[in-house]
Amino acid sequence: MINYIWVGMAVFGIIFAMFNGTMEEVNKAIFQSSQEAVTLCIGFISILVFWLGLMKIAQTSGLLDALARLFKPIVRRLFPEVPPEHPAMGYILSNMMANFFGLGNAATPLGIKAMEQLKKLNNDAEWASRSMITFLVINTSSLTIIPTTVLAIRMKYESQSPAEIVVPTIIATMCSTIGAILIDRYFYYRRKRNGVK
């Protein structure tokens, strides 16, 4: 569905530019933004490689395992239907750790794997289970300590103090995560009280 929306917006914009006489500006904007996107991506590579390297060091040194153990009791309470040693639990914890360090690109495949495992636990049903909904909520709100991608953008555009967003990011994502969990639980218990599965 989203593909149709994007195509519709692009076609509408081009037709509007043709009738409005601004096709030259549209062409210029397309080529400039394409060039800027490539430059931005190349700039990202070095920073993402650095943070992914740190993640690998943290994994090898056992820091990620220690963090996962630290968060495991909380995650088990958030996902009571998931058996503690099920592969879904490992993927959920890994996804949370990647989001924790602002590595959304690394978190996405882990999130997909976690959702696949949660779907298996749900007997491949057509509807989402409680755990699937909770995981989606937590993954979307994603508590972040080091906003790697945003830091990379700020460094690329030569911000005078690129790291000044770290504390506001921690506060904002903590509020969003707590709020998301509270709303998720509210609707879960409301549905349960009304006898809806």
Side-chain angles (χ1 to χ4, degrees), residues 1-49:
M1 183 64 187
I2 193 77
N3 292 335
Y4 294 120
I5 293 171
W6 279 111
V7 168
M9 286 170 54
V11 169
F12 178 77
I14 290 168
I15 292 170
F16 182 81
M18 286 169 52
F19 285 108
N20 202 26
T22 55
M23 200 63 193
E24 188 176 336
E25 286 85 350
V26 170
N27 286 332
K28 192 184 294 183
I30 289 170
F31 289 114
Q32 283 179 349
S33 60
S34 300
Q35 183 180 1
E36 192 169 330
V38 170
T39 307
L40 187 63
C41 287
I42 290 169
F44 271 163
I45 290 171
S46 60
I47 295 161
L48 286 175
V49 165

Side-chain angles (χ1 to χ4, degrees), residues 5 7 15 33 48 53 66-67 70 79 82 91 93 104 123 127 138 171 181 191 194-195:
I5 293 171
V7 168
I15 292 170
S33 60
L48 286 175
L67 282 171
L70 181 71
F79 300 93
V82 180
Y91 285 123
L93 284 163
N123 298 319
W127 59 87
I138 291 171
I171 294 168
I181 291 168
R191 286 167 57 99
N194 294 335

Side-chain angles (χ1 to χ4, degrees), residues 107-146:
T108 301
L110 295 167
I112 292 169
K113 287 283 186 187
M115 202 57 93
E116 286 173 354
Q117 293 296 325
L118 290 172
K119 188 174 181 186
K120 285 180 184 175
L121 276 175
N122 196 30
N123 298 319
D124 291 321
E126 293 293 319
W127 59 87
S129 66
R130 171 190 176 185
S131 296
M132 292 169 82
I133 294 167
T134 302
F135 177 66
L136 182 63
V137 163
I138 291 171
N139 186 50
T140 304
S141 61
S142 69
L143 176 63
T144 304
I145 299 298
I146 303 168

